Amino acid sequence: MESKVVASFEEAVAGVEDGSSILVAGFGEPGSPHNLVAALYEQGATELTLIANGAGMTRDDGVITTGNLVEEKRVRRVVLAFTASTHPSRRTPLEELNEAGEIEAQITPQGTLAERIRAGGAGIPAFFTPAGVGTEVAEGKEHREFGGRTYVLEEAIVADYALIRCWKADTFGNLVFRRSQRNFNPIMAMAADCTLVEAEEVVEVGELDPDLIHTPGIFVQRVVSIPEAGGILQAPPLAMFSGRPRS
Amino acid sequence: MESKVVASFEEAVAGVEDGSSILVAGFGEPGSPHNLVAALYEQGATELTLIANGAGMTRDDGVITTGNLVEEKRVRRVVLAFTASTHPSRRTPLEELNEAGEIEAQITPQGTLAERIRAGGAGIPAFFTPAGVGTEVAEGKEHREFGGRTYVLEEAIVADYALIRCWKADTFGNLVFRRSQRNFNPIMAMAADCTLVEAEEVVEVGELDPDLIHTPGIFVQRVVSIPEAGGILQAPPLAMFSGRPRS
Amino acid sequence: MSVEAKRLTRDLMAARLAAEFEDGWVVNLGVGMPTRCSDFVPEDRTIIFHSENGVIGYGRNATVEEATPYVVNGGAQPVLLTPFASIVHHSDAFAIIRRGLLDVAVLGAYEAAANGDFANWRISGRKGGGIGGAMDLAVGARQVFLLLEHTTRDGRPRLLERCALPLTAAGVVTLVMTDLGLFEPAGDSFRLREIAPGFTVDDVQQLTGAPVVPAADLSEVTV
Amino acid sequence: MSVEAKRLTRDLMAARLAAEFEDGWVVNLGVGMPTRCSDFVPEDRTIIFHSENGVIGYGRNATVEEATPYVVNGGAQPVLLTPFASIVHHSDAFAIIRRGLLDVAVLGAYEAAANGDFANWRISGRKGGGIGGAMDLAVGARQVFLLLEHTTRDGRPRLLERCALPLTAAGVVTLVMTDLGLFEPAGDSFRLREIAPGFTVDDVQQLTGAPVVPAADLSEVTV
């Protein structure tokens, strides 16, 4: 069987068309595919739809984020759990474009977002969930009672591409995530037609315990080894500590 | 934190009330909770609802199955992917009771069954699926088109108890399954109010890799060590080979 | 029908159908005859066998010595794992099916119809049945191949214009392998692509409940 | 208000709320002040901290030396794992929430209402917002505790009869910790259970947008 490993991040994102929909995994730093996002930024595709937890932030330490894609107006639509800062003093490029009506921003509760993606990856077109009932996000959606409780109908999300970061991958595309790295990665890998992976280490088939593999290789199309492709292994942490001095 | 380990299978099934709904995991031999099923058989609860892949077969090698519960009319309702034999020459107790109108037997496609259980475990009350559209099992159910394809609405399954078999458990109830043992076990563990586990080995907390745990302990109420409780570690295989002589 | 004509063996049928699998395909094999197919993959191809219980990437059936109680296929028979194997739970195994990742599902059947319908879950006159994963596989897989005996034990045809038994799925079957040949449902007839050695088209037609139309390049079944 | 009266520190607020957690509870801590609670669990109790990213069973916040890029809480801050920890993916993390396995979700808020409503996802006058996991947590957890400053930066009350901002969820809040005390939404008023040392009920009432009713056993906030 042919190996799914490609030599560079450029090669991994080659062919991403203008107008593509793209799932970008990660929650905070862990599991964020910084190298694939940077390669997509260089690649030039535009008119994108981004589906992620958030896509607001840009960084000043040289690390490219989806915020840069938004800032340069390469994104026409986002589906996120965070479309604006929760701090009054901060504003993101996304928020400014959204207020100017230059981007379509759909906000969705994070659990609903995760379940919509999981449903997309599972061939389930729609499901009922209790989250958001009685709030703005449920307005205009179908409501129904089950067992005396009210739920809202939400539709699945599928996408053309998923950008994934993992700990170990084999050449067949079987993936293992380490700790909090897992987050959205396995469900996004399921929901995309073409799943692109940056791996901290690539091993031969047979080296990963089948019981430990979090994402079967049949969901994966291309794999890049971060060290071999010369990528960023760990981005510098942002302000991640709670502020209490600890020692 | 208190250990969830109990000393015997009897103790594990103590308190199962008449009229309870019970998820029984397993697919073929792997992951089948033979010891808990036998203990439930001894325990005496009746008027049960059984949810499983199948519940038809009884065995003649002394191993108690859910078929024995059915045969002794302890079950008033089953939800299964197999309610009758697919071989004309075989007949099960379930089939005979079903034809006599003495049991309520709901048949559901296996993928729909798995997804209904997973939905129950995930707090999703209902979802649409393509399986069964245009067949008897979709009759009387709500149909709807998404993206030009027709789907049928299916409701979640939750239950009072789940009977689970695993490879390793820790005293907190974190579970690891080995190979095909996994099958229905993790989703059934999620969907029950009280999840009872027979483990081939019980270890201390901290001995299982958090990345390898298939079922978090928060889903588990009681754990029995099969060797310590003197249970059947492996039931004798039934006719499992394909019939082609191999050597 | 010549005196020496023998129907194809189960192994031959499985082997012929396995020869249809293309390199890299994801394939699910149903309970019964279909599970034999993983023993007959041509050596130049890698097939990713998927089973309902969550084993992705198993190989041939295990011998008695090789068998473990931990690795079984969708027919609950011991099989070997490939080096690229991974395991998921039952719900994710069917997620893979509905998501459309299976190139083919090979299923047994009681009846196959010329319009692509098939029936494999309820025996005539019985209450209840055994659906297993068939309905999910039938609507999820890109193609559905059937593997069944051409006639019932009492000689009635299983290949029909329309199914008499309750359907498993409508209009999904693309290839039918029986002990008399290889067929394609063609709407109102079955197109006969390959025929069991020693049988004539007329022999086959007499045992079939729908018109049989031989392909222009009709050949004998060989593996 | 006496000159020496000082509002409670963030650590004190977090510690007081953490003292409400009972042994064995499953607890989710929201972004911001709530994530501090895992640093203040009373020593005689084991709390199972759950986070949206799928970490089940983390402990206190990590020091700079202890931090790894692999283990973070729902606020993306480095934390330590407990020995009973396990990891699931995002969808299963929310399955746990909706399934009702959380004893409490501790959330930050812009506004808390006497009727148990709260608002924490959109700032007044802005388009868009940050829902995060709050709406799932608010409807899934058995109880919702809020941890917020009693007033805005410009001194307006955050505890109101009814929320002015778009709701995160209606009627779910059971306990509210502010830098002035510990409150229970009571329908049309807030029941004041504990008060920050040095403040009077009247002080608190003046900074609150709904009636404040002191509990019969009102005491000072202590940890």
Side-chain angles (χ1 to χ4, degrees), chain D residues 3 8-9 26 41 51 54 84 93 104 126 132 141 148 179 201 206 220:
Chain D
V3 265
L8 302 173
T9 64
V26 183
V41 174
S51 68
F84 53 85
V104 66
R126 301 279 273 269
L148 71 167
D179 46 4
V201 174
Q206 287 185 28
E220 286 197 345

Side-chain angles (χ1 to χ4, degrees), chain A residues 27-30 53 81-91 95 98-99 101 107-112 114-115 118 129-132 134-137 149 167 178-184 186-187 200 234 240-244 246-247, chain D residues 11 31 35-36 39-40 52-53 55 60-65 67 69-78 81 87-91 94 98 110 120-123 125-133 135-136 139-140 153 166-169:
Chain A
F27 182 89
E29 281 302 301
N53 190 46
F82 293 90
T83 61
S85 175
T86 52
H87 293 265
S89 58
R90 291 187 211 146
R91 287 179 71 83
E95 206 171 338
N98 191 19
E99 288 183 359
I107 191 164
T108 181
Q110 196 176 126
T112 300
E115 193 63 16
R118 192 266 170 196
T129 182
T135 76
E136 216 178 282
V137 302
R149 194 172 179 195
W167 186 44
R178 185 162 175 78
R179 310 299 192 234
S180 317
Q181 229 182 20
R182 202 177 316 177
N183 61 68
F184 284 98
I187 53 173
E200 295 178 18
Q234 299 299 344
M240 299 206 297
F241 292 88
S242 66
R244 286 180 66 242
R246 295 204 64 102
S247 55
Chain D
D11 278 0
V31 183
T35 56
R36 291 174 188 240
D39 283 348
F40 297 102
E52 294 92 315
N53 59 347
V55 182
R60 66 167 170 81
N61 286 274
T63 64
V64 174
E65 294 72 30
Y70 294 108
V71 185
V72 302
N73 62 17
Q77 299 162 331
L81 289 184
I87 312 286
V88 298
H89 60 51
H90 232 91
S91 170
F94 280 91
R98 286 187 306 263
Y110 301 133
N120 79 347
W121 71 276
R122 180 184 287 170
I123 299 168
R126 301 279 273 269
K127 191 170 177 187
I131 296 173
M135 287 188 183
D136 302 90
V139 299
R153 286 179 197 195
L167 294 191
T168 303

